[in-house]
């Protein structure tokens, strides 16, 4: 199991915009480099990318949650 | 009527700055803040504070109803908007007016007029301010375009008369270029907008951005000389100087006088900035726009002229007349301001908020640091990345750059990444030292790898 960690503090989003599908659903295949989330920090939006390949097992924080740098955001099963 | 109770509808360093000015004028200060800003420095310094909503700016600092209600509830007789947020929002100004509360700035009508590109250009032209020379109306044939270009002077920018944005913009260096490019531009404009009409404008290449600080009381207006703000990244100013060392005295006087003419022509009240493009090669300047607020970089002008611009704008908003005539306003030496942002310049300027673990501030003659930091302060991730502004003033530009290096070396903000390494590198760069840069200079300089990690 690999955790995806937040590179920066900010607000975490599990979907590109309200009403749009989640970046990943439980069970989705994940390739290294896939976008799994979005962080808004100081009016800048940053893609959160997976660094490993595997199967998506779920988000660890809610959409719209305030997160700190290094916070676990999602899990990928290797 | 002189202002007695001032609500500050902003945050960060400018809120601290406004409180400092208001306290010096014996005005009671009321700091509006979001839920995320309850422990910011301005809240601690103000006489009282009022929460205006959740962290998201749209629900707090940009919420007209919430801010007006807070001003009423706290008995404020005036609101200072700072910069950004609602500083240039005419609907906010009208809502305050309806509530009988003074807005520290110009009227909603002036904000409307200056916020409209075409109306602002017309006001500037009417006041005798040079605008970028362009064709009077649409051009339908290549021969027409060639005749107009001869009058404007090359290079010229070819734009679609219909539509906006950058679509179809071409730069012709010569008549041959224009004859070749104009039909292409016509075809493209026709395809994009269903209208092949063209518009020509003189192309100002590698321009400098120079702006004039003005202040008006509705009857009279004065200027506080100019600032040079060409050092920009993604259209955000990074490093600003007062004055512009590239100007000769005749050009400076003419530039500043035209800004005053515009301010007087519109009956301007408060602090404002008239922005120009400056062509160093021809020594010509052209109006771009007028900003109807106090700007981030106002301290550079304060250091150059010795005037507290924020106090002055509060004074005129309270109905006071300008306290300085033009001949009383003088410039001495040279001032430079740099913006310290919570960004990592080594990582494409990735924002990097966090907790201030330690804070060491530079001190000494000619050094000023406008900021909102204290040890233990958690910089929230919800707003822009400006942490503070380091300003130096010395007898000349070279000495000011040396003092900036000293001041930067004396500034340590622990726990955050900041743009300090960028400013140290700029201060040591030969082109910066030679005052040889323009608005298109910094981004290629960064792309070429001129900013190296410090060991």
């Amino acid at each position: 199991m690999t955790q995806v960690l937040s590179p920066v503090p900010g607000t975490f989003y599990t979907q590109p915009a309200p009403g749009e599908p989640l970046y990943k659903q439980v069970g989705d295949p994940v390739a290294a480099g896939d976008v799994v989330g979005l962080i808004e920090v100081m009016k800048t939006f940053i893609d959160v990318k997976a660094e490993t390949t595997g199967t998506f097992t779920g988000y660890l924080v809610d959409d719209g949650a305030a997160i700190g740098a290094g916070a676990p955001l999602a899990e990928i099963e290797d | 009527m002189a202002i007695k109770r001032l609500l500050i509808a902003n945050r960060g360093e400018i809120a601290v700055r406004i409180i400092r000015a208001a306290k010096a004028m014996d005005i009671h200060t009321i700091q509006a803040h979001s839920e995320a800003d309850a422990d910011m420095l301005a809240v601690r310094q103000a006489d009282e504070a009022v929460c205006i909503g959740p962290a998201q700016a749209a629900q707090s600092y940009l919420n007209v109803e919430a801010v007006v209600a807070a001003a009423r509830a706290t008995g404020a007789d005036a609101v200072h908007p700072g910069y950004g947020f609602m500083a240039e929002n005419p609907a906010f100004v009208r809502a305050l007016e309806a509530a009988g509360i003074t807005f520290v700035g110009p009227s909603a009508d002036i904000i409307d007029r200056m916020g409209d590109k075409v109306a602002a250009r017309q006001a500037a032209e009417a006041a005798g301010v040079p605008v970028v020379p362009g064709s009077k109306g649409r051009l339908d044939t290549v021969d027409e375009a060639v005749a107009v270009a001869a009058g404007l002077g090359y290079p010229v920018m070819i734009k679609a008369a219909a539509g906006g944005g950058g679509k179809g913009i071409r730069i012709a260096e010569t008549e041959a270029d224009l004859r070749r490019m104009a039909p292409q531009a016509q075809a493209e404009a026709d395809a994009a907008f269903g209208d092949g009409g063209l518009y020509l404008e003189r192309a100002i290449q590698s321009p400098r951005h120079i702006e004039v600080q003005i202040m008006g009381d509705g009857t009279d207006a004065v200027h506080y000389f100019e600032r040079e703000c060409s050092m920009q990244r993604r259209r955000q100013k990074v490093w600003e100087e007062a004055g512009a060392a590239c100007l000769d005295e005749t050009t400076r006087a003419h530039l500043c006088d035209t800004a005053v003419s515009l301010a007087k022509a519109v009956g301007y009240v408060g602090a404002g900035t008239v922005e120009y493009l400056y062509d160093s090669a021809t020594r010509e300047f052209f109006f771009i726009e007028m900003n109807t607020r106090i700007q981030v970089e106002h301290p550079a002008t304060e250091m150059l002229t010795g005037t507290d611009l924020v106090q002055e704008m509060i004074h005129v908003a309270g109905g006071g007349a300008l306290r300085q005539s033009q001949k009383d306003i003088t410039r001495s030496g040279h001032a430079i301001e740099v913006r310290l942002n919570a960004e990592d310049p080594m990582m494409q300027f990735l924002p990097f908020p966090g907790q201030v673990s330690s804070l060491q501030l530079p001190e000494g003659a000619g050094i000023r640091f406008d900021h909102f930091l204290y040890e233990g302060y958690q910089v929230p991730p919800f707003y822009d990345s400006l942490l503070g502004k380091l300003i130096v003033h010395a007898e000349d530009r070279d000495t000011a750059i040396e003092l900036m290096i000293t001041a930067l070396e004396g500034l340590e903000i622990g726990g955050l990444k900041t743009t300090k390494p960028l400013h140290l590198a700029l201060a040591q760069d030969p082109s910066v030292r030679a005052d040889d840069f323009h608005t298109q200079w910094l981004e290629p300089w960064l792309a070429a790898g001129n900013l190296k990690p410090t060991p």
Side-chain angles (χ1 to χ4, degrees):
Chain A
M1 198 75 84
T2 306
Q3 289 187 330
V4 180
L5 305 181
S6 174
V8 289
T11 306
F12 180 67
Y13 299 102
T14 55
Q15 58 213 71
E20 288 189 28
L22 301 180
Y23 283 103
K24 292 288 178 189
Q25 301 278 357
V26 174
D28 280 355
V30 179
D34 279 5
V35 176
V36 300
L38 182 70
I39 294 177
E40 180 181 2
V41 53
M42 296 186 144
K43 296 158 81 175
T44 301
F45 288 89
I46 296 160
D47 286 337
V48 180
K49 292 177 181 166
E51 289 176 353
T52 55
T53 297
T55 305
F56 193 75
T57 55
Y59 289 107
L60 300 172
V61 292
D62 292 335
D63 184 57
I67 45 104
L73 302 173
E75 276 184 331
I76 296 165
E77 183 148 340
D78 308 317
Chain B
M1 202 166 54
I3 292 164
K4 294 190 178 64
R5 295 175 63 85
L6 181 67
L7 180 120
I8 297 107
N10 211 303
R11 62 176 308 281
E13 68 85 21
I14 193 64
V16 173
R17 172 71 189 90
I18 295 163
I19 289 172
R20 180 156 65 81
K23 289 200 177 229
M25 299 169 80
D26 285 323
I27 294 171
H28 183 85
T29 52
I30 306 156
Q31 179 61 51
H33 66 87
S34 73
E35 287 166 7
D37 274 340
D39 57 357
M40 71 176 172
L41 188 58
V43 168
R44 296 182 172 202
Q45 292 181 341
D47 296 307
E48 59 181 290
V50 55
C51 184
I52 50 168
Q56 291 85 343
Q59 295 174 55
S60 49
Y61 299 107
L62 290 169
N63 183 336
V64 173
E65 290 76 27
V67 175
V68 174
R72 282 184 165 196
T74 54
D77 54 12
V79 171
H80 198 306
Y83 50 69
F85 294 128
M86 298 200 285
E88 288 164 286
N89 179 340
F92 178 56
V93 179
R94 292 194 172 101
L96 286 173
E97 205 174 302
I101 298 166
T102 300
F103 174 75
V104 180
S107 67
D109 288 347
I110 289 179
I111 297 174
D112 266 335
R113 190 170 172 194
M114 290 302 150
D116 178 298
K117 288 253 179 221
V118 175
R121 183 180 158 107
Q122 284 168 349
E125 272 191 293
V129 184
V131 296
V132 179
S135 53
K136 294 293 174 218
R138 55 178 284 137
L139 303 168
D140 287 303
T141 68
V142 175
D143 285 336
E144 248 185 294
V146 167
V148 167
L152 298 176
Y154 287 91
V156 293
M157 203 181 278
I158 312 167
K159 298 177 172 180
K167 190 86 183 156
I169 290 183
R170 289 173 168 75
I171 292 179
E173 302 280 350
T174 61
E175 184 183 324
D177 279 354
L178 180 59
R179 286 194 179 278
R180 181 171 51 79
M181 291 174 174
Q184 297 166 3
Q186 279 180 313
E188 203 170 296
D190 191 39
F193 309 112
D195 177 353
L198 297 180
Y199 173 81
L200 287 190
E201 198 173 89
R202 169 106 59 89
I204 318 293
Q205 291 181 309
S206 305
R208 282 182 177 261
H209 174 117
I210 296 181
E211 58 188 33
V212 178
Q213 176 70 54
I214 60 102
M215 186 77 68
D217 62 10
T219 307
D220 200 7
V222 292
H223 70 79
Y224 290 85
F225 299 98
E226 80 288 352
R227 293 185 290 263
E228 208 292 348
C229 309
S230 301
M231 193 68 78
Q232 300 181 9
R233 177 179 170 273
R234 297 192 174 171
R235 317 201 77 185
Q236 292 293 309
K237 295 166 186 167
V238 164
W239 159 303
E240 299 113 339
E241 305 190 23
C246 60
L247 296 182
D248 61 61
E249 281 304 328
T250 309
T251 308
R252 172 173 294 121
H254 184 201
L255 179 86
C256 294
D257 287 347
T258 64
V260 171
S261 300
L262 177 57
K264 283 183 179 168
V266 300
Y268 197 81
V269 179
T273 301
V274 185
E275 297 194 328
Y276 301 86
L277 289 179
Y278 177 68
D279 185 334
S280 309
T282 63
R283 296 188 182 184
E284 287 174 289
F285 57 85
F286 306 102
F287 173 80
I288 320 172
E289 63 179 8
M290 180 168 187
N291 294 327
T292 56
R293 60 171 190 270
I294 190 76
Q295 296 205 159
V296 175
E297 60 270 30
H298 75 275
T301 297
E302 293 185 326
M303 298 287 265
L304 183 80
T305 61
T307 296
D308 188 315
L309 296 169
V310 179
Q311 284 193 37
E312 201 60 21
M313 75 187 289
I314 294 171
H315 170 76
V316 297
L322 290 173
R323 292 180 287 194
Q324 283 177 297
S325 66
Q326 192 65 63
K327 67 172 172 21
D328 300 328
I329 302 167
T330 55
R331 57 199 293 277
S332 98
H334 193 84
I336 303 175
E337 172 186 287
V338 300
R339 300 189 189 194
L340 275 301
N341 293 345
E343 295 168 3
D344 185 354
M346 302 304 171
M347 291 278 288
Q348 289 83 47
F349 294 85
L350 184 72
F352 203 98
Q355 187 169 33
V356 179
S357 58
S358 62
L359 187 61
Q360 184 189 313
L361 302 181
E363 283 172 15
I367 298 176
R368 167 175 165 183
F369 186 49
D370 279 22
H371 68 101
F372 66 115
L373 307 175
Y374 56 84
E375 284 187 10
Y377 177 60
Q378 184 77 39
V379 179
F382 308 106
Y383 310 103
D384 74 39
S385 58
L386 183 67
L387 295 171
K389 308 172 314 201
L390 184 58
I391 311 108
V392 297
H393 179 243
E395 64 266 27
D396 56 38
R397 189 173 183 272
D398 289 341
T399 317
I401 292 175
E402 285 302 328
L403 185 58
M404 179 58 80
I405 294 173
T406 305
L408 283 165
E409 286 171 344
L411 175 68
E412 293 292 345
I413 304 172
L416 306 176
K417 299 278 188 189
T418 79
T419 47
K420 173 179 151 176
L422 168 67
H423 299 307
L424 273 174
L426 288 174
Q428 282 151 354
D429 184 87
S431 294
V432 175
R433 294 210 162 219
D435 192 27
D436 181 16
F437 56 89
H438 50 78
T439 54
Q440 310 301 317
W441 183 87
L442 180 57
E443 289 187 29
W445 182 88
L446 287 166
N450 282 291
L451 182 58
K452 294 180 184 68
T454 38

